[in-house]
Amino acid sequence: MTDIQVLDHAAQLPAEWDDLAGPGAGQLGRPWLRMSEDYAGVPMRYLLHYRAGALSSALATALTFPVSPWLYTRTDTVLEFGARDGLPGAAECLASLTGGRAVPRSVEEATRALSHPDETAPVTEILMPSLVCGGRQLARTRVLLREETAETSAVVSSLIARAEGVAAGFGARSIAFLYVDELDTPLRRALDEQGYSSCVSAQDATLFLPVGGFDGYKAMLQRKQRQSIAAERRKLEAAGVKVEIEPLTEGLIELLADLESQLFARHGGSWTPQQSAAALQAITREFGPDAFVSTARLDGALCGFTLVMRHRDDWYVHRAGFDYARIGDLPVYFEVTYNSIIEQAAANGVRALHFGSGAIQAKQLRGCTISTYFCAVKLLPGSDGR
């Protein structure tokens, strides 16, 4: 006997949910989901698959809208940016879903459309609202499974079908799995069999730490990279920059929020200090001591940070911010985002550090393993994309 239960809030999830969210699935653990609900402000639904009365698999979903500001967790903009950046299959996927009507926008154009709707962007009209499945973070999209069995394919397919029903109930125009790992054969096969269009959406970087602490880590790098780390640290020391790992506290939030908004502005995004503060407060409430920051101070003033969240033996590098006018060409970013975090993680027996997407070449040079992600999208009845 099997049964799928649908819950409205992460607070309703049973403790067994976290048994399914094992290593590498921190962004689908209950604390992360509660945190996302707290500040994202979008409806989320949780599909729980029971077999013989026990939770055997699950799927998290979130409804995204044309005004949702998280552009890399929206179906329309993920496809647009993939087509713009020449990711394999993205342009063809976008054209197929929109009847060839979509012209990919830049990040700046998509951001501007949040407050000033762009009538020349049919991709949003056709695809949004969209139910995003398998997690709304820019990370590995997945169906949570207790174990793979002979029934896994049928179970995954049943969860996808139930999610399509949830999407239809919301009046969504599309349903999407935005970042499916290339090695997730059961999910990719099920999506293909159920008629989803697919393309590459991103690459992701994970650092699996070797034995031997920070020295063991540096030993796995090329000689030139080891020299770069030493040079970066000498330059920061000469400038008087102080770097440390410290708890995420209420007293830091206002300062961190201002720096994060500067980072968004630098890369064409729109994110206010108030939005950042709300997110950081939600993280503090849900993660407590499992959320901490790598900080840099120059002349006593905070000039850069990177936030880390702990799940089991994995650390997730989640968000960052910098005072660009103050730091100039000092390598603060590399120290607070990589060197200091990796050194601390190596000293604490961390299994893996998750660095996410973007700047893939730099992450490869620092020892990361790179995975390719695929986006799978399906139009729902009522969409006019065909």
Side-chain angles (χ1 to χ4, degrees):
M1 296 290 293
T2 61
D3 179 45
I4 296 177
Q5 180 183 14
V6 180
L7 299 178
D8 296 342
H9 299 289
Q12 301 170 325
L13 296 176
E16 301 96 293
W17 178 285
D18 286 335
D19 294 336
L20 302 182
Q27 287 149 320
L28 288 172
R30 289 186 301 164
W32 206 303
L33 293 171
R34 290 194 300 263
M35 175 266 295
S36 293
E37 268 188 24
D38 198 353
Y39 75 82
V42 299
M44 299 180 73
R45 296 292 184 267
Y46 306 94
L47 283 58
L48 288 73
H49 184 280
Y50 287 89
R51 183 176 183 275
L55 182 62
S56 63
S57 56
L59 179 66
T61 73
L63 187 66
T64 56
F65 299 94
V67 294
S68 297
W70 301 276
L71 299 180
Y72 288 93
T73 60
R74 283 174 43 162
T75 305
D76 58 343
T77 44
V78 166
L79 285 172
E80 286 183 284
F81 297 163
R84 177 204 62 193
D85 296 340
L87 297 183
E92 294 82 358
C93 187
L94 183 63
S96 172
L97 290 165
T98 65
R101 293 166 54 196
V103 177
R105 295 170 292 179
S106 66
V107 173
E108 292 80 4
E109 290 168 335
T111 298
R112 190 162 52 248
L114 296 175
S115 55
H116 299 83
D118 183 358
E119 301 299 331
T120 66
V123 62
T124 299
E125 177 188 355
I126 292 169
L127 295 175
M128 303 295 285
S130 181
L131 189 73
V132 172
C133 302
R136 60 165 296 277
Q137 302 293 331
L138 204 172
R140 187 173 289 112
T141 295
R142 66 179 71 187
V143 171
L144 295 176
L145 297 168
R146 188 172 298 280
E147 59 182 352
E148 287 197 32
T149 68
E151 299 178 350
T152 292
S153 179
V155 168
V156 171
S157 294
S158 68
L159 283 167
I160 294 171
R162 187 68 181 88
E164 291 179 7
V166 170
F170 275 130
R173 297 191 174 190
S174 67
I175 182 170
F177 293 71
L178 296 180
Y179 300 104
V180 181
D181 192 286
E182 59 186 325
L183 300 179
D184 192 342
T185 302
L187 181 53
R188 291 190 64 196
R189 181 188 297 121
L191 291 167
D192 183 60
E193 290 174 350
Q194 296 195 35
Y196 283 70
S197 300
S198 180
C199 63
V200 172
S201 55
Q203 288 185 302
D204 178 80
T206 302
L207 176 61
F208 296 97
L209 289 168
V211 298
F214 194 53
D215 287 339
Y217 160 71
K218 289 188 290 184
M220 68 183 278
L221 303 178
Q222 296 180 359
R223 182 169 178 266
K224 183 177 181 180
Q225 191 58 47
R226 294 196 299 271
Q227 292 174 333
S228 293
I229 292 173
E232 289 162 5
R233 291 190 148 182
R234 286 194 300 269
K235 189 170 184 179
L236 292 173
E237 183 178 7
V241 176
K242 305 297 182 184
V243 178
E244 60 181 343
I245 303 290
E246 56 185 294
L248 175 62
T249 61
E250 285 288 339
L252 273 177
I253 285 178
E254 184 176 349
L255 296 172
L256 301 181
D258 178 66
L259 296 184
E260 186 178 38
S261 67
Q262 291 189 46
L263 181 145
F264 271 86
R266 185 179 180 92
H267 294 283
S270 176
W271 190 252
T272 67
Q274 292 75 25
Q275 288 174 298
S276 182
L280 292 167
Q281 287 162 354
I283 291 169
T284 301
R285 285 192 297 272
E286 292 297 339
F287 283 84
D290 284 334
F292 48 93
V293 284
S294 171
T295 59
R297 288 179 170 81
L298 181 59
D299 298 328
L302 188 69
C303 61
F305 83 94
T306 295
L307 171 69
V308 178
M309 291 148 74
R310 181 190 294 113
H311 175 258
R312 300 191 180 194
D313 294 329
D314 289 17
W315 286 7
Y316 292 80
V317 178
H318 182 53
R319 53 207 316 140
F322 302 91
D323 184 338
Y324 295 99
R326 180 176 289 274
I327 64 178
D329 63 353
L330 291 171
V332 170
Y333 165 77
F334 295 107
E335 183 61 30
V336 300
T337 304
Y338 297 105
N339 302 338
S340 67
I341 291 174
I342 294 171
E343 185 171 26
Q344 188 74 12
N348 282 273
V350 172
R351 183 190 76 95
L353 278 161
H354 300 268
F355 283 102
S357 64
I360 290 299
Q361 185 175 12
K363 291 169 182 175
Q364 280 183 305
L365 290 173
R366 291 175 185 268
C368 289
T369 298
I370 307 302
S371 301
T372 297
Y373 287 163
F374 285 82
C375 172
V377 184
K378 186 177 185 179
L379 293 174
L380 295 171
S383 174
D384 62 351
R386 295 184 185 275

